[in-house]
Amino acid sequence: MRVEGRDPSRRRILGIGGALGLMAATGLSASAALARRPSVTGAELRSAVPLPPPFQVPLPMPAVLQPVRTSGGTDRYEITQREASAEILPGLKTPLWTYEGTFPGPTIESRRGRPVTVTHRNDLPVPTVVHLHGGRTPAASDGYPTDLVLPEHWPEQQPEQQPAERPMERPDAAVHVRHGMHDPRAVVTRRTRDYTFPLDQRPALLWYHDHRMDFTAPAIWRGLAGLHIVRDAAEDDLGLPAGPRELPLMIADRAFAADGGLAYPALDPTLRERPGVHEAYLAGVLGDVILVNGAPWPVHEADAARYRLRVLNASNARHYELEAVTDDGRRLDLVQIGADQGLLAAPVTHRLLPIAPAERHDLIVDFSGLAIGSRVRLLNRLGSGRTRDVMAFRIARRATDGSRIPRTLSTDLPTWRRTDAARVRDFSFRTGRMRGGHGWLIGGRPFDPARTDVTTRLGDVEVWRLVADVHHPVHLHLAGFRVLSRSGRPPLAHDAGLKDTVSLRPGEAVEIITRFDGYRGRYLFHCHNAEHEDMGMMANLEII
Ligand SMILES: [Cu+2]
């Protein structure tokens, strides 16, 4: 597996991974290194195989999973997590870790307020944990990182996880997390686990992915991610583009090794014992191939009509700034109708639209004025070379279009004000020392499952002030929030609506406001740069 970064001179400008390497070589202080405020946080892996030309492979649509039972007011699904291989690059077989044998995993379609139970069976060689990102989920099903589902033949205790007679599959069974961290509240099961999602929440594009302690980043990279859409009658009635004109787009970068497998700079490629990545990639792992729904730079044959694009950035660390450009150089409007947690109050028109890891944007793009046979490319202004392209649409045919974009999209967005807040909290998201090496810290501390960082009361409104050194997309479990300000200024246009992930830019202070509503229990907030998350950048939120 080839895991080298680009040449060192280039790595310097690629963010803190490079910056730390430079510090080691020259003795520069961290603050001096960070003063450059890198435009990219992460280092790029180069594929060791020839890459296909863009816009040749058809855009795949993940299959919609059929429930095994729909009785008693609940939809029941079963998903087997297993190894599989797929032809991602033409002519190459790529081994993956999958939900149901595909990457992305199958999409779950559900209705607001109708509970869904998913029985996950772990046939992978390592423990797993499933988190439904954006779900308003009771803590027992929220996929806490130590609530492991062990594979059939996984030893009850790892050699380093001595000792204690602790029977597995008992709700009170504790788990020793490596490096001496102990989590007395972990609920470990063997082989299967039922996750129950009430879905009592606004309609939105959610996604499910692995969330295992210390190994989330490589597990997602290997393929453990899928979509989950929540709908309701009010949204159905808006008249937005639907059916074949509603396209979920899961964007993720990857790199490929010479044998066709995914390249990833893991210290322990088996992902069994030692977490972490090689030093050059401490700031995040970027790939040089852009996949949409698992296909490299795909193309979609479109009607000359409006389309609803439901975009998820499922990349570990890569940020995008999207634009839709015709072959004669015109930029199409990206009309944003929704954010992470569903519809905006009113549409917001963008020409350029940033999207950080784990964020979702719900967009309308209008192809109706375009010539048949012409092409629209979706580009990433933050990319360079091959990573500038994302995908393309080829306008294939004229078509009637009964869709509309209502001026009012929703009227149920929360209107929390600062004066509603029971308290204000401050959190820094910064690099620091952890376990004798490099880590990523919240409030100066690395994650410890046994420590409660924030305790709040169910129903309390709080303002959180989040400060960053480099890019940190910060994700809060359970509760959606609104963005109040960025470094003392009003939020950006794409901060509108209800969010569950906010992109902190280098040196920025972002204020958010939320109400801790839904369920009591232990939840998380963390950076969704998946490498940062695995290297300490998570914290516990206890709702009492
Ligand atoms: Cu981060």
Side-chain angles (χ1 to χ4, degrees):
M1 195 160 77
R2 177 173 163 170
V3 294
E4 303 87 43
R6 291 187 187 280
D7 63 87
S9 62
R10 173 157 172 83
R11 195 182 294 162
R12 277 188 196 186
I13 60 165
L14 284 177
I16 188 151
L20 291 173
L22 193 66
M23 282 160 56
T26 65
L28 269 180
S29 73
S31 57
L34 291 169
R36 282 196 295 267
R37 296 199 176 169
S39 60
V40 175
T41 298
E44 189 171 287
L45 282 167
R46 276 260 177 97
S47 292
V49 294
L51 300 179
F55 319 136
Q56 305 293 315
V57 180
L59 175 74
M61 276 299 123
V64 173
L65 192 63
Q66 294 307 305
V68 292
R69 234 179 15 261
T70 59
S71 54
T74 298
D75 295 337
R76 298 191 68 95
Y77 294 89
E78 292 174 0
I79 291 180
T80 299
Q81 304 172 5
R82 60 180 175 87
E83 294 178 286
S85 93
E87 186 177 333
I88 295 176
L89 300 182
L92 275 182
K93 284 283 178 214
T94 300
L96 299 167
W97 287 358
T98 72
Y99 296 116
E100 285 292 300
T102 63
F103 172 67
T107 299
I108 296 181
E109 285 270 359
S110 53
R111 305 295 294 184
R112 176 181 197 157
R114 183 177 170 88
V116 161
T117 297
V118 186
T119 301
H120 276 270
R121 190 169 100 163
N122 181 8
D123 284 351
L124 291 167
V126 299
T128 62
V129 170
V130 179
H131 170 59
L132 178 62
H133 182 119
R136 197 161 174 263
T137 305
S141 287
D142 197 49
Y144 193 81
T146 51
D147 287 350
L148 304 173
V149 182
L150 304 181
E152 190 170 31
H153 300 295
W154 191 263
E156 296 215 346
Q157 282 131 25
Q158 291 293 287
E160 68 200 305
Q161 292 177 345
Q162 293 309 320
E165 59 314 312
R166 55 189 75 256
M168 291 303 188
E169 306 198 28
R170 267 181 40 201
D172 59 346
V175 62
H176 281 276
V177 180
R178 69 201 65 255
H179 303 288
M181 273 197 281
H182 176 252
D183 182 10
R185 293 168 71 182
V187 179
V188 176
T189 62
R190 189 173 289 282
R191 199 78 192 277
T192 69
R193 185 175 179 120
D194 286 355
Y195 293 88
T196 295
F197 306 111
L199 302 174
D200 174 20
Q201 60 186 97
R202 304 180 87 229
L205 173 65
L206 315 180
W207 61 302
Y208 60 99
H209 63 74
D210 199 66
H211 213 309
R212 171 189 165 205
M213 183 76 188
D214 292 337
F215 292 97
T216 292
I220 293 176
W221 187 271
R222 287 194 187 192
L224 292 179
L227 303 173
H228 186 140
I229 300 175
V230 184
R231 303 182 189 277
D232 75 355
E235 187 179 299
D236 292 348
D237 290 346
L238 290 178
L240 299 168
R245 294 188 194 153
E246 178 189 350
L247 304 175
L249 302 176
M250 179 195 279
I251 303 176
D253 58 341
R254 295 290 185 270
F256 292 81
D259 62 2
L262 293 172
Y264 189 84
L267 294 178
D268 171 7
T270 68
L271 309 186
R272 291 176 69 92
E273 303 214 354
R274 189 174 175 206
V277 293
H278 291 287
E279 184 180 332
Y281 301 91
L282 291 171
V285 179
L286 311 174
D288 61 353
V289 176
I290 308 299
L291 306 178
V292 183
N293 296 346
W297 302 288
V299 60
H300 187 67
E301 302 255 311
D303 298 341
R306 284 193 200 93
Y307 275 74
R308 180 178 184 186
L309 308 180
R310 309 195 69 171
V311 182
L312 158 67
N313 180 359
S315 308
N316 282 21
R318 184 179 290 280
H319 290 243
Y320 302 78
E321 192 171 51
L322 300 173
E323 61 177 347
V325 182
T326 62
D327 276 344
D328 57 4
R330 277 190 307 126
R331 252 193 218 159
L332 300 186
D333 284 348
L334 301 171
V335 179
Q336 187 187 0
I337 58 166
D340 304 331
Q341 287 285 314
L343 293 167
L344 306 181
V348 177
T349 299
H350 307 271
R351 311 306 292 275
L352 285 174
L353 186 53
I355 186 166
E359 280 190 304
R360 286 89 72 209
H361 293 319
D362 199 346
L363 306 176
I364 306 288
V365 181
D366 191 350
F367 300 137
S368 64
L370 301 178
I372 303 306
S374 68
R375 195 176 65 163
V376 175
R377 289 171 300 152
L378 194 61
L379 301 178
N380 171 23
R381 298 255 302 185
L382 302 178
S384 60
R386 298 300 310 271
T387 61
R388 224 176 143 70
D389 295 329
V390 176
M391 66 169 291
F393 298 89
R394 191 171 296 117
I395 312 307
R397 57 195 90 80
R398 292 261 154 256
T400 56
D401 188 354
S403 74
R404 52 192 288 268
I405 310 175
R407 282 218 287 230
T408 299
L409 295 162
S410 71
T411 54
D412 65 336
L413 281 169
T415 54
W416 308 302
R417 292 159 305 171
R418 284 174 194 278
T419 50
D420 299 330
R423 59 197 67 83
V424 177
R425 301 183 200 261
D426 284 281
F427 300 100
S428 65
F429 289 75
R430 293 189 197 284
T431 183
R433 304 290 293 174
M434 167 185 165
R435 302 170 190 166
H438 175 270
W440 295 97
L441 314 180
I442 300 177
R445 300 198 286 191
F447 181 60
D448 179 350
R451 181 188 69 227
T452 299
D453 298 284
V454 170
T455 303
T456 192
R457 272 175 207 292
L458 188 71
D460 274 5
V461 174
E462 298 196 359
V463 169
W464 287 13
R465 188 163 171 274
L466 316 170
V467 185
D469 54 3
V470 294
H471 291 91
H472 298 293
V474 174
H475 171 46
L476 178 58
H477 286 214
L478 182 69
F481 55 80
R482 306 204 66 174
V483 180
L484 283 177
S485 73
R486 284 185 180 265
S487 291
R489 287 191 285 276
L492 299 170
H494 67 275
D495 292 328
L498 196 61
K499 302 279 295 167
D500 58 46
T501 306
V502 63
S503 177
L504 311 186
R505 299 176 301 181
E508 200 169 37
V510 173
E511 285 181 304
I512 61 170
I513 187 166
T514 189
R515 182 164 185 265
F516 292 96
D517 202 5
Y519 306 95
R520 293 185 170 85
R522 180 167 68 157
Y523 291 94
L524 287 171
F525 60 102
H526 62 88
C527 181
H528 221 293
N529 174 313
E531 281 76 28
H532 296 190
E533 169 179 352
D534 282 345
M535 283 181 267
M537 202 166 247
M538 294 199 289
N540 282 307
L541 163 68
E542 187 79 33
I543 301 174
I544 58 173

